Amino acid sequence: MDHFNSIIGQSPALESLIRSAKMVSATDVTVLLKGETGTGKEVLAKAIQKESNRANKPFITINCGALPESLVESELFGHRKGAFTGATGNKLGIFQAADGGTLFLDEINSLPLAIQAKLLRFLETGECLAVGDTKPYFVDVRIIAATNNDLLQQIERGDFRRDLYFRLNVVPLDIPPLSQRTDDIEKLIRHFLNHFSETHGITAPKFSKQALKTLKGYSWPGNIRELRNLCERLSILLAGRTIEPENLPHEFKASTPIFNEPSNADFTLPATGIKLEDLELDLIHQALSRTNGNRSKSARLLGISRDTLLYRIQKHGLATH
């Protein structure tokens, strides 16, 4: 079973990410997931764990930003009886509960500096120390960390340890925001509408072409989580109906579509129109010819990534070398 099927979409940026994640899942390497809030970091972490050799071992998720600072150390590493007021008995930590498995540390950027030092010690030696104890214990835990902040900026401010960053950043995986995955929006909508139709026992609504165009032009600050919430709301309020732009919340109608024609466009659309597919095919041919078939150089000439170029080469059925 391919557990990465839980990640919906086929955009070039997403397919490139999944290829890297599949390679990572076959190892025990530490992974750092980077991406905006709501992009699906936990979903990707679960897929990596399910495809790993630790799939049948514990998988524990901790939101570092949600733990009270006074309790972080005790929650993660455990404590001994009498270590502090209220410690009426020994307590095992999350690292011990995850022994043999995987620990997903979400919002790693929120960890206090003192705890960062203990996490670094674990990553270097496998050693943990419970609060109030003098003898360390050792566990075998794979770490997948995630952040929605720029850790390099936090390092410059003194809020994050540089040495810990390099320990976590062995394999960084950058999750693209939904605004860079507009080709996936329709697939995600179908997935969510079907899900909520089954969950709530209602007839799924449909989005008109104009409503879909509006959604594709929205900036999606909340990313996939925002799209999911919108689909659930409309599934309930407009069950079985066709959703038009006027049915969308105000922020969608007020937003400026990201595909609006720029005022300083280098290319002006002829009044007679063009055949976009033919133009794209011709430009790809020109770029490949000019670079003697070098795809990386061709992608730079076209202003797109190499993965996007490969996707479009395959879409047009061009022979690859």
Side-chain angles (χ1 to χ4, degrees):
M1 180 179 178
D2 185 353
H3 293 92
F4 288 95
N5 287 336
S6 60
I7 302 172
I8 309 299
Q10 292 181 320
S11 62
L14 187 67
E15 289 191 337
S16 176
L17 171 70
I18 291 175
R19 281 197 300 272
S20 298
K22 284 182 176 180
M23 288 188 282
V24 164
S25 66
T27 72
D28 260 351
V29 70
T30 302
V31 181
L32 179 61
L33 307 181
K34 303 176 182 179
E36 297 176 8
T37 298
T39 49
K41 295 185 288 295
E42 186 172 352
V43 173
L44 182 60
K46 287 179 179 177
I48 291 172
Q49 187 266 344
K50 289 294 184 184
E51 288 288 319
S52 74
N53 57 9
R54 297 174 183 257
N56 297 320
K57 299 297 178 66
F59 177 71
I60 299 179
T61 296
I62 296 296
N63 185 326
C64 300
L67 289 174
E69 188 168 343
S70 58
L71 297 177
V72 173
E73 187 175 11
S74 171
E75 288 294 318
L76 290 176
F77 301 102
H79 65 248
R80 301 291 294 175
K81 180 180 179 180
F84 50 84
T85 303
T88 56
N90 295 339
K91 178 182 183 299
L92 296 180
I94 289 167
F95 272 90
Q96 288 162 301
D99 193 15
T102 304
L103 179 58
F104 176 50
L105 297 173
D106 198 7
E107 295 191 28
I108 190 77
N109 47 285
S110 299
L111 268 187
L113 283 167
I115 309 305
Q116 291 178 31
K118 295 194 72 168
L119 177 58
L120 176 64
R121 179 70 177 172
F122 165 75
L123 289 170
E124 290 178 334
T125 66
E127 179 182 301
C128 299
L129 185 66
V131 180
D133 209 345
T134 56
K135 184 179 179 181
Y137 61 88
F138 293 83
V139 290
D140 171 26
V141 176
R142 182 192 192 172
I143 298 293
I144 301 177
T147 179
N148 55 16
N149 277 15
D150 187 333
L151 293 182
L152 292 177
Q153 288 185 3
Q154 286 194 230
I155 290 170
E156 292 302 316
R157 294 196 303 266
D159 296 333
F160 203 85
R161 294 181 62 110
R162 188 180 299 273
D163 46 7
L164 175 59
Y165 172 75
F166 288 118
R167 275 287 176 180
L168 293 171
N169 201 48
V170 178
V171 177
L173 294 177
D174 291 280
I175 305 177
L178 187 56
S179 60
Q180 294 178 13
R181 295 176 50 196
T182 53
D183 289 347
D184 291 334
I185 287 177
E186 286 190 59
K187 289 181 180 293
L188 286 163
I189 286 173
R190 283 198 297 271
H191 169 76
F192 289 137
L193 293 183
N194 289 337
H195 170 74
F196 293 126
S197 174
E198 294 177 7
T199 301
H200 301 300
I202 54 181
T203 302
K206 296 178 181 178
F207 284 82
S208 71
K209 288 184 178 180
Q210 194 59 41
L212 286 172
K213 184 178 179 182
T214 301
L215 295 183
K216 289 182 179 180
Y218 181 59
S219 60
W220 295 106
N223 291 291
I224 297 174
R225 185 179 295 130
E226 184 179 7
L227 177 60
R228 185 184 191 277
N229 291 344
L230 175 71
C231 288
E232 183 167 24
R233 182 193 319 172
L234 296 178
S235 290
I236 294 170
L237 297 180
L238 299 171
R241 291 174 55 184
T242 297
I243 297 166
E244 300 292 347
E246 56 266 25
N247 301 128
L248 298 174
H250 173 73
E251 61 267 25
F252 291 88
K253 291 176 281 187
S255 66
T256 302
I258 59 176
F259 45 74
N260 273 0
E261 181 182 340
S263 58
N264 61 343
D266 294 328
F267 175 79
T268 302
L269 183 68
T272 54
I274 61 168
K275 291 184 177 179
L276 187 58
E277 291 287 315
D278 292 346
L279 179 61
E280 178 180 271
L281 180 58
D282 183 52
L283 290 172
I284 291 173
H285 272 303
Q286 288 187 47
L288 289 170
S289 176
R290 189 173 299 180
T291 62
N292 294 317
N294 186 304
R295 296 175 210 160
S296 296
K297 291 181 180 178
S298 296
R300 285 196 292 273
L301 280 177
L302 295 167
I304 57 178
S305 70
R306 188 175 185 275
D307 284 314
T308 300
L309 176 60
L310 292 177
Y311 166 77
R312 293 182 180 177
I313 285 173
Q314 292 169 0
K315 181 181 76 170
H316 290 294
L318 297 177
T320 56
H321 304 287

